[in-house]
């Protein structure tokens, strides 16, 4: 089989997607970051440090858990859960923040900033800031501060400042605008820790690489347990970092079907969703060209999802590339279905998933009908549900 | 010849510096902007930058963000701004330059946007989130129409890169005075004057400086080193203060612009 070309190219493009659409002020810094990443992050020394913190501090490798009860209940292929929810801080985000913080240390930066939606990336950034001695500011929309209050408190406890963002939709998109404004202002001493496979090059590549530990482990684990590759990979897609982390190491295994689950919010027909891939158009937001939700004039539309982590009108450029290439397929799950997904996993397996991951779970009953018993499904359980208890209480 | 190049040629002959004003088109509405542009021309402004609003203006500080939201709320769009330019071009003779984010142009279609802009009577465009590397398509399309794609440089731009950006820039070069977003600053860097003088040695293109400049004194200082001075947020603040005084809005904006125009042009009186 012919291997896919390596993406991104030198200019940061995944096919027609990606690039570096940022103010000139940041360009020299992106170059510096790209150089530092290519030079440093691939050295043995750096990999060793990264592996040390991932295993000793964050708790890797995470189990690839055979969800036997869930498999029985749904009656389709064998379901394995990649348990990123068991990581320190409760989600896959820590894989990336440890990597970027180590890089920031190498580059001599003193301060970390981050945007956060669900607060998981904010917590993961505040955590590594505390661990490695950085000053840390996290931008968060006021609506998200409201609905993810527990994580706001965690960040503060970790010594970070949480800066409320009150513009636009008061969610992740606006937090990212504000983080970029801070970055433009303080670029000389500040490292911007982007939480998803989004933003200008080299971020989509770098975040993907740091998250591929999910897929690399899962591939090794499934081969050991089953002696063969899975038939399906399933993961939720907001910006798309946990899904890309799972998908990427399987990209050349052409028989492995990849399914990304977007947030359909109130429903795909309502216009109130976050399905940038399925319902969006190609445009430019937050530094890269990708599918996004916009109106006819090119104004970005407000996304909606019950899950703060998926409530974003854009998506990482590599997902847009995978979709157009036909390498991955994308489906959607509504708020209501996601909440049913929470119940399903909680009751069958005793695992309360984050609302983001619950979107992937909620797709399983649909997928089960299309699969046979000999099929193997790996689902990335990207985070645990503790942070969402208040929302769940309100809706269930 | 493009109106921008003509303007700088004339100013050079007169040994004068350019005074450039940014306003967000459609703030508070399209009709007000028409009056404001006329008023700015009468006040002695050499070039007007018309912002086309975008929902996510990540290079702008709070003042221009508010202007953009007011404009969007009033229903402004790229199409409406183009139509407005076509109308005011009948009487306004100074260069009109668009300032917007790349998604607006990309969504409209790059070539079509430039052709329609040129036809409407606009002279150039500044796109703060379109760095040199991503701007080739737009500059190529614009060159065919004698439409200026104005590039930006920043304090963080190294000299070698500065040269490349200057070479790619058309009309003039927009130097961002500070690391940060748009918005009035009480104090500008003391080094700004000497930095600009150094940068001027790297290019023959007119070098105009913007971001943070809000008072006649600051404008005079910058004009001492640069070929032009760009003021945005300070003008928006005058608009903001007079939102309820629609009748005098354009006059007040004009009066403020005149005070800075005098400082930039070195007029006594």
């Amino acid at each position: 089989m012919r291997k896919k070309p390596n993406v991104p190219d030198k200019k940061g493009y995944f096919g027609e997607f990606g690039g570096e659409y940022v103010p000139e002020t940041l360009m020299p810094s992106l170059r510096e970051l790209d150089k530092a990443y290519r030079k440093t992050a691939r050295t043995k020394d750096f990999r060793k440090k990264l592996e040390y913190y991932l295993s000793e501090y964050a708790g890797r490798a995470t189990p690839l858990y055979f969800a036997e009860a869930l498999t029985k209940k749904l009656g389709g292929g064998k379901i394995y859960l990649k348990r990123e929810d068991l990581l320190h801080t409760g989600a896959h985000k820590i894989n990336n923040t440890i990597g970027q913080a180590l890089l920031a240390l190498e580059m001599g930066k003193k301060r970390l900033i981050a945007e956060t939606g669900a607060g998981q990336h904010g917590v993961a950034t505040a955590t590594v800031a505390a661990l490695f001695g950085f000053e840390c500011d996290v931008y968060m929309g006021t609506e998200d501060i409201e609905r993810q209050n527990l994580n706001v408190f965690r960040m503060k406890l970790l010594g970070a400042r949480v800066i409320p963002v009150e513009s636009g939709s008061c969610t992740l998109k606006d937090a990212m605008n504000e983080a970029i404004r801070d970055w433009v202002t303080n670029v000389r001493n500040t490292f911007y820790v982007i939480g998803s496979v989004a933003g200008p090059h080299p971020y989509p590549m770098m975040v993907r690489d740091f998250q591929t530990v999910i897929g690399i482990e899962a591939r090794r684990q499934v081969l050991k347990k089953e002696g063969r590759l899975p038939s399906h990979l399933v993961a939720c897609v907001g910006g798309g970092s946990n899904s890309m982390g799972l998908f990427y190491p399987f990209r050349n295994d052409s028989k492995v079907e990849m399914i990304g689950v977007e947030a359909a919010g109130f429903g795909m027909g309502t216009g109130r969703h976050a399905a940038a891939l399925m319902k969006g158009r190609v445009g430019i937001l937050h530094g890269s060209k990708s599918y996004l939700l916009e109106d006819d004039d090119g104004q970005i539309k407000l996304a909606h999802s019950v899950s703060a982590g998926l409530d974003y009108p854009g998506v990482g450029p590599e997902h847009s590339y995978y979709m157009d290439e036909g390498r991955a397929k994308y489906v959607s799950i509504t708020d209501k279905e996601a909440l049913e997904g929470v119940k399903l996993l909680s009751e069958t397996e005793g695992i309360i998933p984050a609302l983001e991951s619950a979107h992937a779970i909620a797709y399983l009953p649909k997928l089960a009908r299309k699969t046979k018993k000999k099929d193997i499904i790996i689902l990335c359980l990207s985070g645990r549900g503790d942070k969402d208890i208040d929302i769940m209480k309100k809706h269930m | 010849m493009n109106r921008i190049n003509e303007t700088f040629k004339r100013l050079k002959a007169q040994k004068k510096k350019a005074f450039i004003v940014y306003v967000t088109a459609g703030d508070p509405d399209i009709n007000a902007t028409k009056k404001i542009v006329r008023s700015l021309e009468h006040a002695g402004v050499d070039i007007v930058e018309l912002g086309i609003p975008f929902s996510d203006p990540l290079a702008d500080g709070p003042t221009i963000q508010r202007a953009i939201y007011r404009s969007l709320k009033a229903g402004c769009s790229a199409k409406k701004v183009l139509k407005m330019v076509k109308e005011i071009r009948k009487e306004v003779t100074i260069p009109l330059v668009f300032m917007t984010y790349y998604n607006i142009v990309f969504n409209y279609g790059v070539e079509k946007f430039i052709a329609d802009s040129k036809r409407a009577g606009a002279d150039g465009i500044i796109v703060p989130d379109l760095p040199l590397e991503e701007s080739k398509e737009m500059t190529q399309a614009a060159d065919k129409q004698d439409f200026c794609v104005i590039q930006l440089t920043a304090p963080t731009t190294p000299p070698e890169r500065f040269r490349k950006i200057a070479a790619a820039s058309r009309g003039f070069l927009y130097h961002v005075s500070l690391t940060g977003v748009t918005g009035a600053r009480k104090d500008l860097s003391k080094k700004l004057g000497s930095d600009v003088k150094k940068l001027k040695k790297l290019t023959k293109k007119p070098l105009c400086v913007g971001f943070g400049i809000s008072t006649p004194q600051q404008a005079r200082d910058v004009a001492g080193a640069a070929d032009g001075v760009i003021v945005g947020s300070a003008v928006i603040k005058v608009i903001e203060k007079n939102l309820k005084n629609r009748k005098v809005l354009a006059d007040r904006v004009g009066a403020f612009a005149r005070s800075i125009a005098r400082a930039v042009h070195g007029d006594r009186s």
Side-chain angles (χ1 to χ4, degrees), chain A residues 77-94:
Chain A
K78 248 177 138 173
I79 299 165
Y80 280 92
L81 303 176
K82 182 61 178 160
R83 298 290 308 272
E84 297 299 294
D85 61 316
L86 292 177
L87 283 174
H88 179 43
T89 73
H92 71 291
K93 296 291 186 186
I94 192 89

Side-chain angles (χ1 to χ4, degrees), chain B:
Chain B
M1 197 197 249
N2 184 297
R3 285 186 197 91
I4 300 171
N5 297 326
E6 277 171 12
T7 296
F8 280 102
K9 211 173 136 189
R10 171 179 60 79
L11 287 168
K12 199 175 175 187
Q14 296 172 339
K15 297 206 163 74
K16 275 190 175 175
K17 303 301 172 72
F19 177 39
I20 302 170
V21 165
Y22 167 92
V23 289
T24 302
D27 169 33
D29 58 48
I30 288 278
N31 271 327
T33 304
K34 282 188 198 166
K35 286 183 199 157
I36 288 168
V37 173
R38 272 183 235 129
S39 178
L40 289 172
E41 180 170 43
H42 291 147
V45 172
D46 298 298
I47 298 173
V48 173
E49 279 177 28
L50 287 168
I52 301 175
F54 175 52
S55 53
D56 294 78
L58 49 78
D60 285 302
T63 307
I64 295 183
Q65 284 176 43
R66 285 196 300 272
I68 287 172
Y69 293 139
R70 281 195 297 271
S71 165
L72 284 174
K73 221 175 150 188
C76 192
S77 66
K79 275 182 201 143
K80 286 183 185 166
V81 178
L82 284 167
K83 191 167 159 254
M84 176 194 78
V85 167
K86 202 169 181 179
E87 284 162 20
I88 54 176
R89 190 37 101 197
K90 289 172 194 155
E91 41 185 318
V92 169
T93 59
I94 56 173
L96 299 172
V97 172
F98 290 136
M99 182 145 185
T100 193
Y101 289 84
Y102 192 51
N103 194 53
I104 294 295
V105 182
F106 182 81
N107 174 68
Y108 194 101
V110 176
E111 286 203 24
K112 186 169 162 24
F113 183 87
I114 284 164
D116 288 358
S117 299
K118 182 78 186 177
R119 206 171 305 134
D123 305 286
I125 185 166
I126 304 165
V127 186
D129 63 343
L130 194 70
L132 179 68
E133 287 76 358
E134 306 289 359
S135 67
K136 283 200 182 104
E137 183 193 349
M138 193 158 80
T139 303
Q140 274 170 13
D143 279 351
K144 284 183 220 153
Q145 309 251 8
D146 193 23
F147 189 78
C148 296
V149 175
I150 295 146
Q151 300 277 347
L152 297 111
T153 53
T156 49
T157 309
E160 203 33 56
R161 184 172 167 83
F162 185 95
R163 278 198 195 91
K164 278 186 202 156
I165 295 173
S169 195
R170 304 289 186 262
F172 65 92
L173 186 60
Y174 189 137
H175 182 65
V176 175
S177 71
L178 44 82
T179 54
V181 292
T182 58
R185 307 292 202 278
K186 230 165 136 191
D187 299 300
L188 294 173
S189 158
K190 291 201 177 75
K191 278 174 60 226
L192 182 60
S194 60
D195 286 350
V196 170
K197 277 180 188 157
K198 266 185 232 158
L199 293 175
K200 270 192 59 71
K201 288 186 185 143
L202 302 177
T203 179
K204 282 184 181 145
K205 298 223 168 102
L207 183 67
C208 301
V209 177
F211 280 43
I213 305 163
S214 61
T215 66
Q217 186 56 50
Q218 287 174 333
R220 190 174 295 125
D221 291 348
V222 173
D227 299 305
V229 177
I230 305 163
V231 176
S233 297
V235 177
I236 305 280
K237 279 192 176 158
V238 179
I239 295 177
E240 217 160 43
K241 264 191 213 149
N242 290 286
L243 284 173
K244 287 190 179 134
N245 273 330
R246 289 298 181 88
K247 277 190 181 154
V248 295
L249 176 67
D251 290 342
R252 297 260 163 93
V253 172
F256 176 74
R258 181 167 289 118
S259 70
I260 298 189
R262 281 189 183 137
V264 173
H265 292 149
D267 298 340
R268 299 281 164 201
S269 76

Side-chain angles (χ1 to χ4, degrees), chain A residues 84-157:
Chain A
E84 297 299 294
D85 61 316
L86 292 177
L87 283 174
H88 179 43
T89 73
H92 71 291
K93 296 291 186 186
I94 192 89
N95 299 330
N96 171 45
T97 58
I98 289 176
Q100 289 198 45
L102 287 174
L103 197 58
L105 271 183
E106 294 281 338
M107 292 172 74
K109 303 283 182 183
K110 304 276 181 249
R111 174 175 176 255
L112 303 182
I113 57 169
E115 82 294 337
T116 198
Q120 287 304 121
H121 174 58
V123 167
T125 306
T127 298
V128 293
L131 174 65
F132 296 117
F134 291 101
E135 199 188 318
C136 181
D137 287 318
V138 179
Y139 289 90
M140 190 168 186
T142 47
E143 183 177 331
D144 291 339
I145 286 180
E146 181 81 35
R147 58 180 164 171
Q148 306 277 222
N149 212 271
L150 181 69
N151 274 344
V152 175
F153 183 71
R154 288 168 82 197
M155 285 185 266
K156 288 181 179 166
L157 203 57

Side-chain angles (χ1 to χ4, degrees), chain A residues 74 103 125 127 149 158 171 183 187 198 210 229 237 270 277 310:
Chain A
L74 297 180
L103 197 58
T125 306
T127 298
N149 212 271
L158 290 160
T171 60
W183 190 26
V187 58
F210 286 137
L229 289 170
V237 180
T270 64
L277 287 162
L310 303 183

